[in-house]
Amino acid sequence: MTSNKLEPHTMQADDVRALRQSAVATVAVGVLGAVVGGVVSGGKGVLGAVIAILVVSLFFVISQIAVMRAARVSPQFMMIAAVGTYTVEILALAVLSSQFKDTTLFSGRVFGVTAIACVLAWSAGQIRAFVTAKTLIVEPSSMHGAAGDS
């Protein structure tokens, strides 16, 4: 009975750890993009990189929250939510990048390159968090059912 109460807490702790690792990686890459953008395009480059960091972080945090909520329903629903939100995020970033292409407020090129780098950094952070998490891949009840069926 106690293990059922601990499982959601452990899952939430893993999710928070994954979110933190991904956010740190994204911000680190974004800051590097801001420095390079500042050298290449001055203040407009820095602004483009900062906007990219904010947009990518916002999109992926919303996605992480949606996936965490979907995980409460079922693993299958979690996967659908993960793929669906990732697809929507990439499409939204593509639309934003095309809209910012001709802006004079900030460097659209630095925005695009930094956004791509931040997406890759976020994804790498998620992969690292998943690989290092000590999460059961096979549910214990499924293992006993499969062994009994043989």
Side-chain angles (χ1 to χ4, degrees):
M1 193 187 282
T2 351
S3 64
N4 290 340
K5 291 182 180 179
L6 291 177
E7 285 180 34
H9 177 70
T10 304
M11 181 65 176
Q12 290 175 1
D14 287 344
D15 290 337
V16 169
R17 186 174 54 82
L19 188 64
R20 185 176 52 242
Q21 285 181 0
S22 298
V24 167
T26 301
V27 170
V29 167
V31 167
L32 180 62
V35 169
V36 172
V39 169
V40 172
S41 299
K44 290 184 178 192
V46 172
L47 184 58
V50 168
I51 292 172
I53 295 167
L54 294 175
V55 167
V56 170
S57 297
L58 178 68
F59 282 1
F60 279 96
V61 166
I62 290 169
S63 173
Q64 185 77 20
I65 291 168
V67 171
M68 287 187 316
R69 289 182 185 232
R72 294 178 187 162
V73 176
S74 74
Q76 294 83 7
F77 191 61
M78 180 183 77
M79 187 63 176
I80 292 168
V83 171
T85 57
Y86 189 79
T87 302
V88 168
E89 290 165 357
I90 297 304
L91 290 174
L93 278 172
V95 168
L96 281 175
S97 292
S98 70
Q99 294 298 316
F100 292 153
K101 171 175 67 171
D102 297 323
T103 187
T104 57
L105 179 62
F106 58 86
S107 172
R109 184 175 303 265
V110 173
F111 170 83
V113 170
T114 304
I116 290 170
C118 286
V119 166
L120 294 174
W122 183 278
S123 299
Q126 290 287 301
I127 291 168
R128 183 182 186 286
F130 176 74
V131 168
T132 59
K134 294 180 179 162
T135 306
L136 290 174
I137 303 298
V138 178
E139 295 177 17
S141 60
S142 298
M143 288 176 23
H144 294 295
D149 293 339
S150 299

PDB file of all heavy atoms in Angstrom, residues 5 8 12 23 35 38 53 57 62 64-66 68-70 92 97-98 105-106 113 116 133 135 141 146:
ATOM      1  N   LYS A   5       1.850   4.806  -2.939  1.00  0.00           N
ATOM      2  CA  LYS A   5       1.944   6.229  -2.628  1.00  0.00           C
ATOM      3  C   LYS A   5       3.318   6.785  -2.981  1.00  0.00           C
ATOM      4  O   LYS A   5       3.447   7.949  -3.277  1.00  0.00           O
ATOM      5  CB  LYS A   5       1.649   6.477  -1.151  1.00  0.00           C
ATOM      6  CG  LYS A   5       0.197   6.215  -0.794  1.00  0.00           C
ATOM      7  CD  LYS A   5      -0.070   6.505   0.651  1.00  0.00           C
ATOM      8  CE  LYS A   5      -1.534   6.224   0.975  1.00  0.00           C
ATOM      9  NZ  LYS A   5      -1.819   6.468   2.373  1.00  0.00           N
ATOM     10  N   PRO A   8       4.181   7.683  -7.421  1.00  0.00           N
ATOM     11  CA  PRO A   8       3.981   8.985  -8.054  1.00  0.00           C
ATOM     12  C   PRO A   8       5.003  10.011  -7.582  1.00  0.00           C
ATOM     13  O   PRO A   8       5.467  10.825  -8.358  1.00  0.00           O
ATOM     14  CB  PRO A   8       2.566   9.382  -7.637  1.00  0.00           C
ATOM     15  CG  PRO A   8       1.888   8.101  -7.328  1.00  0.00           C
ATOM     16  CD  PRO A   8       2.970   7.205  -6.778  1.00  0.00           C
ATOM     17  N   GLN A  12       7.542  12.011 -10.008  1.00  0.00           N
ATOM     18  CA  GLN A  12       7.602  13.458 -10.028  1.00  0.00           C
ATOM     19  C   GLN A  12       9.022  13.936  -9.763  1.00  0.00           C
ATOM     20  O   GLN A  12       9.477  14.880 -10.394  1.00  0.00           O
ATOM     21  CB  GLN A  12       6.643  14.044  -9.002  1.00  0.00           C
ATOM     22  CG  GLN A  12       5.192  13.861  -9.397  1.00  0.00           C
ATOM     23  CD  GLN A  12       4.236  14.333  -8.325  1.00  0.00           C
ATOM     24  OE1 GLN A  12       4.640  14.817  -7.287  1.00  0.00           O
ATOM     25  NE2 GLN A  12       2.952  14.172  -8.587  1.00  0.00           N
ATOM     26  N   ALA A  23      16.779  22.183 -18.599  1.00  0.00           N
ATOM     27  CA  ALA A  23      16.779  23.651 -18.531  1.00  0.00           C
ATOM     28  C   ALA A  23      18.197  24.196 -18.399  1.00  0.00           C
ATOM     29  O   ALA A  23      18.554  25.179 -19.061  1.00  0.00           O
ATOM     30  CB  ALA A  23      15.916  24.120 -17.366  1.00  0.00           C
ATOM     31  N   VAL A  35      26.379  35.081 -26.572  1.00  0.00           N
ATOM     32  CA  VAL A  35      27.745  35.623 -26.674  1.00  0.00           C
ATOM     33  C   VAL A  35      28.183  35.657 -28.138  1.00  0.00           C
ATOM     34  O   VAL A  35      28.666  36.682 -28.627  1.00  0.00           O
ATOM     35  CB  VAL A  35      28.733  34.791 -25.817  1.00  0.00           C
ATOM     36  CG1 VAL A  35      30.164  35.170 -26.112  1.00  0.00           C
ATOM     37  CG2 VAL A  35      28.423  34.967 -24.336  1.00  0.00           C
ATOM     38  N   GLY A  38      26.206  38.225 -29.972  1.00  0.00           N
ATOM     39  CA  GLY A  38      26.680  39.570 -29.664  1.00  0.00           C
ATOM     40  C   GLY A  38      27.927  39.927 -30.434  1.00  0.00           C
ATOM     41  O   GLY A  38      28.065  41.052 -30.916  1.00  0.00           O
ATOM     42  N   ILE A  53      16.030  31.621 -26.398  1.00  0.00           N
ATOM     43  CA  ILE A  53      16.098  30.881 -25.132  1.00  0.00           C
ATOM     44  C   ILE A  53      14.728  30.876 -24.461  1.00  0.00           C
ATOM     45  O   ILE A  53      14.244  29.836 -23.998  1.00  0.00           O
ATOM     46  CB  ILE A  53      17.138  31.499 -24.171  1.00  0.00           C
ATOM     47  CG1 ILE A  53      18.543  31.384 -24.734  1.00  0.00           C
ATOM     48  CG2 ILE A  53      17.075  30.839 -22.798  1.00  0.00           C
ATOM     49  CD1 ILE A  53      19.556  32.246 -23.988  1.00  0.00           C
ATOM     50  N   SER A  57      12.499  27.494 -24.119  1.00  0.00           N
ATOM     51  CA  SER A  57      12.271  27.067 -22.736  1.00  0.00           C
ATOM     52  C   SER A  57      10.786  27.021 -22.417  1.00  0.00           C
ATOM     53  O   SER A  57      10.302  26.059 -21.812  1.00  0.00           O
ATOM     54  CB  SER A  57      12.982  28.002 -21.766  1.00  0.00           C
ATOM     55  OG  SER A  57      14.373  27.939 -21.967  1.00  0.00           O
ATOM     56  N   ILE A  62       6.170  23.725 -21.064  1.00  0.00           N
ATOM     57  CA  ILE A  62       4.749  23.400 -21.247  1.00  0.00           C
ATOM     58  C   ILE A  62       4.598  21.954 -21.701  1.00  0.00           C
ATOM     59  O   ILE A  62       3.743  21.210 -21.207  1.00  0.00           O
ATOM     60  CB  ILE A  62       4.089  24.376 -22.244  1.00  0.00           C
ATOM     61  CG1 ILE A  62       3.976  25.766 -21.613  1.00  0.00           C
ATOM     62  CG2 ILE A  62       2.717  23.869 -22.677  1.00  0.00           C
ATOM     63  CD1 ILE A  62       3.578  26.858 -22.583  1.00  0.00           C
ATOM     64  N   GLN A  64       6.694  19.475 -21.155  1.00  0.00           N
ATOM     65  CA  GLN A  64       7.058  18.582 -20.045  1.00  0.00           C
ATOM     66  C   GLN A  64       5.884  18.437 -19.077  1.00  0.00           C
ATOM     67  O   GLN A  64       5.597  17.337 -18.612  1.00  0.00           O
ATOM     68  CB  GLN A  64       8.282  19.134 -19.311  1.00  0.00           C
ATOM     69  CG  GLN A  64       8.804  18.231 -18.226  1.00  0.00           C
ATOM     70  CD  GLN A  64       9.589  17.056 -18.745  1.00  0.00           C
ATOM     71  OE1 GLN A  64      10.075  17.068 -19.863  1.00  0.00           O
ATOM     72  NE2 GLN A  64       9.711  16.038 -17.936  1.00  0.00           N
ATOM     73  N   ILE A  65       5.210  19.529 -18.798  1.00  0.00           N
ATOM     74  CA  ILE A  65       4.057  19.481 -17.897  1.00  0.00           C
ATOM     75  C   ILE A  65       2.945  18.630 -18.512  1.00  0.00           C
ATOM     76  O   ILE A  65       2.328  17.805 -17.829  1.00  0.00           O
ATOM     77  CB  ILE A  65       3.570  20.903 -17.572  1.00  0.00           C
ATOM     78  CG1 ILE A  65       4.616  21.609 -16.705  1.00  0.00           C
ATOM     79  CG2 ILE A  65       2.213  20.879 -16.878  1.00  0.00           C
ATOM     80  CD1 ILE A  65       4.395  23.099 -16.542  1.00  0.00           C
ATOM     81  N   ALA A  66       2.702  18.801 -19.803  1.00  0.00           N
ATOM     82  CA  ALA A  66       1.670  18.007 -20.485  1.00  0.00           C
ATOM     83  C   ALA A  66       2.012  16.523 -20.454  1.00  0.00           C
ATOM     84  O   ALA A  66       1.136  15.681 -20.195  1.00  0.00           O
ATOM     85  CB  ALA A  66       1.517  18.488 -21.925  1.00  0.00           C
ATOM     86  N   MET A  68       3.962  14.982 -18.248  1.00  0.00           N
ATOM     87  CA  MET A  68       3.852  14.498 -16.865  1.00  0.00           C
ATOM     88  C   MET A  68       2.394  14.209 -16.512  1.00  0.00           C
ATOM     89  O   MET A  68       2.093  13.212 -15.857  1.00  0.00           O
ATOM     90  CB  MET A  68       4.450  15.508 -15.885  1.00  0.00           C
ATOM     91  CG  MET A  68       5.955  15.569 -15.910  1.00  0.00           C
ATOM     92  SD  MET A  68       6.740  16.603 -14.641  1.00  0.00           S
ATOM     93  CE  MET A  68       5.771  18.075 -14.599  1.00  0.00           C
ATOM     94  N   ARG A  69       1.490  15.068 -16.934  1.00  0.00           N
ATOM     95  CA  ARG A  69       0.067  14.832 -16.661  1.00  0.00           C
ATOM     96  C   ARG A  69      -0.444  13.625 -17.437  1.00  0.00           C
ATOM     97  O   ARG A  69      -1.236  12.846 -16.929  1.00  0.00           O
ATOM     98  CB  ARG A  69      -0.751  16.068 -16.987  1.00  0.00           C
ATOM     99  CG  ARG A  69      -0.517  17.171 -15.989  1.00  0.00           C
ATOM    100  CD  ARG A  69      -1.374  18.372 -16.289  1.00  0.00           C
ATOM    101  NE  ARG A  69      -1.018  19.434 -15.375  1.00  0.00           N
ATOM    102  CZ  ARG A  69      -1.890  20.083 -14.637  1.00  0.00           C
ATOM    103  NH1 ARG A  69      -3.157  19.782 -14.725  1.00  0.00           N
ATOM    104  NH2 ARG A  69      -1.496  21.033 -13.834  1.00  0.00           N
ATOM    105  N   ALA A  70       0.009  13.465 -18.664  1.00  0.00           N
ATOM    106  CA  ALA A  70      -0.412  12.318 -19.471  1.00  0.00           C
ATOM    107  C   ALA A  70       0.110  11.020 -18.880  1.00  0.00           C
ATOM    108  O   ALA A  70      -0.545   9.976 -18.995  1.00  0.00           O
ATOM    109  CB  ALA A  70       0.077  12.481 -20.908  1.00  0.00           C
ATOM    110  N   ALA A  92       5.738  25.154 -34.453  1.00  0.00           N
ATOM    111  CA  ALA A  92       5.594  26.528 -33.953  1.00  0.00           C
ATOM    112  C   ALA A  92       6.917  27.282 -34.056  1.00  0.00           C
ATOM    113  O   ALA A  92       6.941  28.469 -34.436  1.00  0.00           O
ATOM    114  CB  ALA A  92       5.096  26.519 -32.517  1.00  0.00           C
ATOM    115  N   SER A  97      10.243  31.289 -36.612  1.00  0.00           N
ATOM    116  CA  SER A  97      11.487  31.610 -37.315  1.00  0.00           C
ATOM    117  C   SER A  97      11.206  32.259 -38.666  1.00  0.00           C
ATOM    118  O   SER A  97      11.879  33.221 -39.048  1.00  0.00           O
ATOM    119  CB  SER A  97      12.331  30.349 -37.522  1.00  0.00           C
ATOM    120  OG  SER A  97      12.805  29.877 -36.291  1.00  0.00           O
ATOM    121  N   SER A  98      10.212  31.752 -39.372  1.00  0.00           N
ATOM    122  CA  SER A  98       9.894  32.360 -40.666  1.00  0.00           C
ATOM    123  C   SER A  98       9.292  33.751 -40.492  1.00  0.00           C
ATOM    124  O   SER A  98       9.525  34.636 -41.316  1.00  0.00           O
ATOM    125  CB  SER A  98       8.958  31.457 -41.468  1.00  0.00           C
ATOM    126  OG  SER A  98       7.675  31.426 -40.879  1.00  0.00           O
ATOM    127  N   LEU A 105      14.095  44.288 -35.333  1.00  0.00           N
ATOM    128  CA  LEU A 105      14.225  44.441 -33.884  1.00  0.00           C
ATOM    129  C   LEU A 105      15.402  43.633 -33.332  1.00  0.00           C
ATOM    130  O   LEU A 105      16.121  44.082 -32.451  1.00  0.00           O
ATOM    131  CB  LEU A 105      12.927  44.011 -33.203  1.00  0.00           C
ATOM    132  CG  LEU A 105      12.888  44.084 -31.676  1.00  0.00           C
ATOM    133  CD1 LEU A 105      13.086  45.536 -31.225  1.00  0.00           C
ATOM    134  CD2 LEU A 105      11.588  43.531 -31.143  1.00  0.00           C
ATOM    135  N   PHE A 106      15.602  42.442 -33.876  1.00  0.00           N
ATOM    136  CA  PHE A 106      16.708  41.570 -33.451  1.00  0.00           C
ATOM    137  C   PHE A 106      17.153  40.739 -34.636  1.00  0.00           C
ATOM    138  O   PHE A 106      16.512  40.737 -35.680  1.00  0.00           O
ATOM    139  CB  PHE A 106      16.297  40.679 -32.261  1.00  0.00           C
ATOM    140  CG  PHE A 106      15.108  39.804 -32.542  1.00  0.00           C
ATOM    141  CD1 PHE A 106      15.254  38.565 -33.135  1.00  0.00           C
ATOM    142  CD2 PHE A 106      13.828  40.223 -32.204  1.00  0.00           C
ATOM    143  CE1 PHE A 106      14.163  37.763 -33.396  1.00  0.00           C
ATOM    144  CE2 PHE A 106      12.726  39.419 -32.455  1.00  0.00           C
ATOM    145  CZ  PHE A 106      12.892  38.195 -33.048  1.00  0.00           C
ATOM    146  N   VAL A 113      19.332  30.090 -35.261  1.00  0.00           N
ATOM    147  CA  VAL A 113      20.441  29.192 -34.919  1.00  0.00           C
ATOM    148  C   VAL A 113      20.435  28.868 -33.423  1.00  0.00           C
ATOM    149  O   VAL A 113      20.614  27.713 -33.023  1.00  0.00           O
ATOM    150  CB  VAL A 113      21.797  29.815 -35.347  1.00  0.00           C
ATOM    151  CG1 VAL A 113      22.961  29.023 -34.800  1.00  0.00           C
ATOM    152  CG2 VAL A 113      21.869  29.904 -36.867  1.00  0.00           C
ATOM    153  N   ILE A 116      17.556  26.423 -32.612  1.00  0.00           N
ATOM    154  CA  ILE A 116      17.902  25.043 -32.986  1.00  0.00           C
ATOM    155  C   ILE A 116      18.882  24.444 -31.969  1.00  0.00           C
ATOM    156  O   ILE A 116      18.712  23.307 -31.522  1.00  0.00           O
ATOM    157  CB  ILE A 116      18.485  24.989 -34.411  1.00  0.00           C
ATOM    158  CG1 ILE A 116      17.389  25.291 -35.425  1.00  0.00           C
ATOM    159  CG2 ILE A 116      19.119  23.632 -34.700  1.00  0.00           C
ATOM    160  CD1 ILE A 116      17.893  25.506 -36.835  1.00  0.00           C
ATOM    161  N   ALA A 133      18.246   7.811 -15.103  1.00  0.00           N
ATOM    162  CA  ALA A 133      17.183   7.546 -14.129  1.00  0.00           C
ATOM    163  C   ALA A 133      17.120   6.054 -13.825  1.00  0.00           C
ATOM    164  O   ALA A 133      17.341   5.218 -14.697  1.00  0.00           O
ATOM    165  CB  ALA A 133      15.838   8.025 -14.667  1.00  0.00           C
ATOM    166  N   THR A 135      14.621   3.948 -13.361  1.00  0.00           N
ATOM    167  CA  THR A 135      13.193   3.715 -13.509  1.00  0.00           C
ATOM    168  C   THR A 135      12.981   2.320 -14.069  1.00  0.00           C
ATOM    169  O   THR A 135      13.669   1.913 -15.004  1.00  0.00           O
ATOM    170  CB  THR A 135      12.592   4.755 -14.480  1.00  0.00           C
ATOM    171  OG1 THR A 135      12.925   6.055 -14.014  1.00  0.00           O
ATOM    172  CG2 THR A 135      11.095   4.604 -14.568  1.00  0.00           C
ATOM    173  N   SER A 141       4.183  -6.268 -12.121  1.00  0.00           N
ATOM    174  CA  SER A 141       2.998  -7.109 -12.323  1.00  0.00           C
ATOM    175  C   SER A 141       3.005  -7.728 -13.717  1.00  0.00           C
ATOM    176  O   SER A 141       2.545  -8.836 -13.911  1.00  0.00           O
ATOM    177  CB  SER A 141       1.723  -6.301 -12.108  1.00  0.00           C
ATOM    178  OG  SER A 141       1.665  -5.231 -13.027  1.00  0.00           O
ATOM    179  N   ALA A 146       3.685 -12.468 -17.409  1.00  0.00           N
ATOM    180  CA  ALA A 146       4.379 -13.047 -18.558  1.00  0.00           C
ATOM    181  C   ALA A 146       5.023 -14.380 -18.177  1.00  0.00           C
ATOM    182  O   ALA A 146       5.005 -15.318 -18.940  1.00  0.00           O
ATOM    183  CB  ALA A 146       5.420 -12.085 -19.103  1.00  0.00           C
TER     184      ALA A 146
END
